[in-house]
Amino acid sequence: MSTTIEKGIIASPGIRIGKAYVYHGDTIIIPKYTIREDEITYELSRFEDAIEKTKNELKDIQEQIASSLSRDMADIFTSHIMVLEDPLIEDKIRKTIIEKRRNAEWAINDVSLELMNSLSGIKDDYLRERIIDISDINKRLISNLQKTESTSLQHITDEVIVFAPDLTPSETALMDKERILAFVTDRGGRTSHTAIMARALEIPAIVGTMNATSLVKTGDMVILDAVHGRIIINPASETIDEYKQYEAEFEELEIELAKLTNLPAKTIDSEEIFIYGNIEIPDEMKIIKDHGAQGIGLFRSEFLFMDQSLPDEEKQFQEYRRVVEFFNPLPVTIRTIDVGADKVYAYTNHYRERNPFLGCRAIRFSMENIDLFRIQLRAILRASSYGNLKLMFPMITTVEEFKKARGITEDVMNELRRDRISFDEKIKIGLMIEVPSAAVNADILGKYADFFSVGTNDLVQYLLAVERTSEKIAYLYNPLNLSVLRFLKQIAEAAKFNNVDLSICGEMAGEPQYTMVLLGLGFRHLSMSPVYMHQVKKIVRSVSIRECEGMVASLLALEDTDEIEGVVRKNFKEKFDQA
Ligand code: PEP
Ligand code: MG
């Protein structure tokens, strides 16, 4: 009997068919024994040798990744080396050896477990995902102490789809694409280093399935469909045949689509459409440029703030500058920090609220933490002299709020002028339209803002009163609901009336089925994750604005979301032969 898993996050798209290989990580045995006082010095020197050896190993991996992928990807291992060099951790292990008289393997394992346990309690995806980095280092240190050969994924000789509770970034980085067709993990999210590696290596992957490893055995036949987010274990032979054809078609399509990279995104009636990338961490910028993006439409700056310690002005400035210089003269829209709600980080813990999505989030958090806000503004403004940078505020609810944020920015500009620090005096300042009140008042906001970027992920949640992360009421969360379409039309009209630049950066912008709808509603600037850029461009190049407008007019005359969805799907299938 076949089993289908539909939970999980597509970390890297593609379709693969192959045998499962369930991998529980390097099996390391941790010897535990107490040492005599006269053995302490020897034990400490064993520990120091293991650190040295592990550091060298990580540097080798770094070199390997830098030459096969990129320097940015290699930098992921800098944080591993930093953990190894952390004097607090090293001291703790030394103390455990000296005071508890434990052998080095035992001491390392104890301290790592303690660290991983304290991280696992944190309600913060990014920090939780760092557990895997520590586990990686722990394993390396212990196997270096024992001088054992690792039994890692590098020893696989057959073509397999790997299933693992989680994978370390180094395990992913060293995967041989010829043998490892794809991978699935129980844990992890889209922003884990493992997911980023998978995208960079173009290995199809689904992460965060919760329990896939418990549903599969090594040797089971598996279809991994990282296009629709589906894993089929022991499928019927007809399903395999169907997917074999689908796999071949998908690959052909990818090759075909890649040819579009340098072609303009112009409709058949010559309307120019702009495709930008959404970026979470600067490492992703090369992938976005390689997909032919015309800049960054949304830089979610909060991902720089995920560490427990907040980056200072200089560190932020360097990161913003790196991205802005890389894309210059193309635009990079940096959004000020959007924490709170589902993005609760360590330092916002005291903001735990009964209703966090309606709480102190995004610009509200910045207003509450003015010092932090001013530091970020200084860093962004300083970076603006290195390219084409636009500044954007998230979750603006009232006109006063936008005016206030703009006023604080002007104040910071005065401070920079006083300090003779240059910035782009003509910098464009805009806002995300993602709260219904901002959509309703878009005509007024347009008098004060240089641009709007519509965040449909939140707009849909707030308009329909459906939490965007809820699985239970997900059936209500539909961007094709008539109220959403009416809202989007109204925003587009307000932007046009006020001569304000308009873009859209919610996931809706990157969903090929919605491209014609958005063009018909009046959107010309679409910002999305790179994975769908080619497909969206293909659609743009094969439609006319007139037919998109015609389609939208017919959608707006309907009432039921199901009906609207039916028309969109049918049209998409007929026109592009895709379900
Ligand atoms: C949105 O809300 O659509 C958006 C792009 O912002 P985020 O997903 O980061 O909330
Ligand atoms: Mg949002």
Side-chain angles (χ1 to χ4, degrees):
M1 250 248 314
S2 80
T3 310
T4 303
I5 305 171
E6 291 199 324
K7 268 184 290 188
I9 301 153
I10 299 172
S12 175
I15 293 170
R16 294 289 183 270
I17 302 165
K19 291 258 164 73
Y21 177 86
V22 183
Y23 174 71
H24 281 282
D26 276 355
T27 29
I28 46 163
I29 295 156
I30 302 151
K32 293 182 178 173
Y33 50 85
T34 37
I35 51 171
R36 291 191 313 268
E37 192 167 355
D38 62 350
E39 286 172 333
I40 291 177
T41 319
Y42 171 68
E43 208 56 29
L44 289 174
S45 72
R46 282 184 72 224
F47 170 53
E48 261 142 41
D49 288 350
I51 290 193
E52 254 339 279
K53 196 161 175 216
T54 308
K55 241 189 259 175
N56 291 337
E57 247 175 36
L58 289 171
K59 281 183 185 154
D60 284 351
I61 297 178
Q62 232 179 355
E63 283 310 305
Q64 196 175 325
I65 306 287
S67 56
S68 63
L69 272 174
S70 71
R71 187 42 63 199
D72 280 343
M73 286 293 150
D75 278 350
I76 285 181
F77 293 94
T78 310
S79 63
H80 281 52
I81 296 171
M82 273 160 67
V83 173
L84 262 180
E85 285 173 343
D86 186 331
L88 288 176
I89 301 178
E90 204 177 319
D91 261 16
K92 222 167 177 173
I93 297 173
R94 287 170 153 280
K95 264 196 178 144
T96 312
I97 295 175
I98 299 167
E99 289 167 9
K100 295 193 176 162
R101 299 271 176 84
R102 290 186 173 167
N103 63 315
E105 291 90 331
W106 191 0
I108 292 166
N109 199 51
D110 268 8
V111 173
S112 306
L113 284 180
E114 196 184 309
L115 211 61
M116 289 193 276
N117 273 340
S118 59
L119 285 177
S120 68
I122 292 177
K123 251 194 156 185
D124 174 306
D125 291 347
Y126 179 84
L127 286 179
R128 266 202 321 276
E129 279 162 11
R130 300 289 76 78
I131 294 176
I132 195 76
D133 296 353
I134 296 168
S135 143
D136 194 2
I137 295 160
N138 181 39
K139 276 191 211 161
R140 282 181 186 281
L141 276 173
I142 292 176
S143 55
N144 280 332
L145 274 163
Q146 298 176 325
K147 302 186 172 53
T148 49
E149 269 297 312
S150 104
T151 56
S152 70
L153 291 169
Q154 285 165 277
H155 298 98
I156 291 176
T157 48
D158 300 329
E159 287 189 352
V160 292
I161 294 178
V162 170
F163 282 73
D166 209 342
L167 289 168
T168 65
S170 61
E171 280 167 334
T172 315
L174 298 174
M175 277 182 181
D176 178 352
K177 266 177 79 172
E178 298 293 310
R179 301 199 181 88
I180 297 182
L181 304 174
F183 72 81
V184 177
T185 61
D186 292 346
R187 294 193 283 275
R190 238 191 79 78
T191 58
S192 65
H193 287 150
T194 300
I196 292 165
M197 278 291 175
R199 285 195 282 280
L201 290 163
E202 294 177 344
I203 297 180
I206 296 184
V207 299
T209 58
M210 321 281 281
N211 62 349
T213 48
S214 62
L215 301 171
V216 70
K217 314 183 288 308
T218 293
D220 279 350
M221 196 62 188
V222 171
I223 295 172
L224 175 126
D225 173 358
V227 173
H228 302 98
R230 190 175 299 143
I231 301 154
I232 309 172
I233 303 164
N234 292 325
S237 58
E238 311 84 77
T239 317
I240 297 183
D241 291 344
E242 206 179 293
Y243 264 92
K244 270 192 184 147
Q245 198 184 334
Y246 194 18
E247 184 185 17
E249 281 169 12
F250 184 80
E251 262 164 30
E252 237 170 74
L253 186 70
E254 287 283 285
I255 296 168
E256 212 38 52
L257 287 175
K259 294 183 188 152
L260 296 173
T261 304
N262 297 315
L263 297 178
K266 238 187 208 164
T267 60
I268 49 180
D269 46 0
S270 297
E271 182 84 19
E272 192 169 2
I273 308 301
F274 297 82
I275 296 178
Y276 307 97
N278 287 355
I279 195 169
E280 268 102 40
I281 53 169
D283 284 339
E284 289 171 298
M285 63 191 183
K286 189 170 177 301
I287 306 170
I288 288 180
K289 202 179 207 177
D290 288 348
H291 276 73
Q294 285 142 298
I296 297 291
L298 169 66
F299 180 165
R300 291 183 161 102
S301 71
E302 58 272 13
F303 284 84
L304 294 177
F305 292 79
M306 283 184 299
D307 251 321
Q308 244 153 343
S309 54
L310 297 173
D312 60 14
E313 182 187 319
E314 192 54 31
K315 168 108 193 357
Q316 284 189 56
F317 161 66
Q318 294 297 351
E319 295 288 350
Y320 302 144
R321 177 181 165 174
R322 191 151 77 93
V323 181
V324 169
E325 270 183 339
F326 182 78
F327 279 99
N328 193 25
L330 299 173
V332 172
T333 306
I334 301 185
R335 176 176 80 179
T336 57
I337 185 168
D338 177 5
V339 287
D342 56 335
K343 288 180 271 195
V344 177
Y345 300 149
Y347 52 88
T348 59
N349 275 354
H350 59 286
Y351 277 119
R352 290 252 157 83
E353 296 164 293
R354 270 188 301 275
N355 220 332
F357 276 103
L358 301 181
C360 188
R361 203 197 139 176
I363 192 71
R364 304 171 185 181
F365 175 87
S366 293
M367 293 294 191
E368 279 277 314
N369 296 274
I370 290 284
D371 291 348
L372 208 97
F373 189 36
R374 292 180 74 98
I375 290 173
Q376 181 170 34
L377 290 173
R378 267 181 79 96
I380 294 175
L381 288 170
R382 282 173 60 198
S384 70
S385 25
Y386 294 87
N388 183 357
L389 190 158
K390 294 159 122 186
L391 168 66
M392 174 160 81
F393 303 121
M395 244 195 112
I396 292 289
T397 308
T398 64
V399 178
E400 307 86 271
E401 198 173 27
F402 181 72
K403 284 193 199 162
K404 190 172 166 199
R406 205 171 176 142
I408 297 169
T409 312
E410 268 149 28
D411 200 40
V412 173
M413 286 175 170
N414 282 334
E415 200 177 272
L416 290 173
R417 285 186 195 108
R418 234 182 5 250
D419 296 346
R420 297 187 186 286
I421 297 174
S422 62
F423 63 92
D424 177 6
E425 293 274 354
K426 294 204 180 84
I427 186 170
K428 293 232 159 81
I429 304 180
L431 67 132
M432 300 258 319
I433 299 235
E434 48 185 349
V435 179
S437 60
V440 171
N441 288 336
D443 56 337
I444 306 173
L445 281 160
K447 291 199 274 183
Y448 306 99
D450 299 320
F451 65 91
F452 294 154
S453 183
V454 182
T456 43
N457 305 343
D458 278 313
L459 191 63
V460 171
Q461 106 161 323
Y462 294 126
L463 182 60
L464 300 179
V466 182
E467 195 182 303
R468 63 195 258 189
T469 54
S470 167
E471 282 168 26
K472 211 175 167 114
I473 47 169
Y475 68 94
L476 273 174
Y477 187 98
N478 194 329
L480 291 182
N481 183 293
L482 183 60
S483 62
V484 178
L485 300 184
R486 285 179 160 178
F487 240 27
L488 292 177
K489 187 158 187 279
Q490 194 179 318
I491 298 165
E493 282 167 1
K496 197 165 179 189
F497 180 77
N498 283 286
N499 206 12
V500 169
D501 293 344
L502 174 72
S503 67
I504 178 163
C505 63
E507 297 308 305
M508 192 179 181
E511 172 52 70
Q513 287 206 45
Y514 301 155
T515 308
M516 283 185 73
V517 179
L518 294 175
L519 299 189
L521 285 167
F523 289 86
R524 300 291 177 265
H525 296 252
L526 314 174
S527 191
M528 63 197 74
S529 107
V531 172
Y532 300 107
M533 280 177 188
H534 289 144
Q535 227 180 321
V536 168
K537 193 189 269 186
K538 179 167 185 240
I539 291 165
V540 166
R541 291 172 56 85
S542 46
V543 298
S544 72
I545 293 293
R546 262 188 69 166
E547 69 178 309
C548 296
E549 283 173 352
M551 178 186 170
V552 165
S554 66
L555 296 180
L556 291 172
L558 298 172
E559 292 176 2
D560 287 2
T561 311
D562 285 353
E563 254 183 298
I564 297 177
E565 200 163 15
V567 173
V568 172
R569 270 183 203 278
K570 186 163 170 279
N571 181 63
F572 191 69
K573 191 164 168 45
E574 279 170 8
K575 216 167 156 52
F576 305 102
D577 194 28
Q578 284 175 42

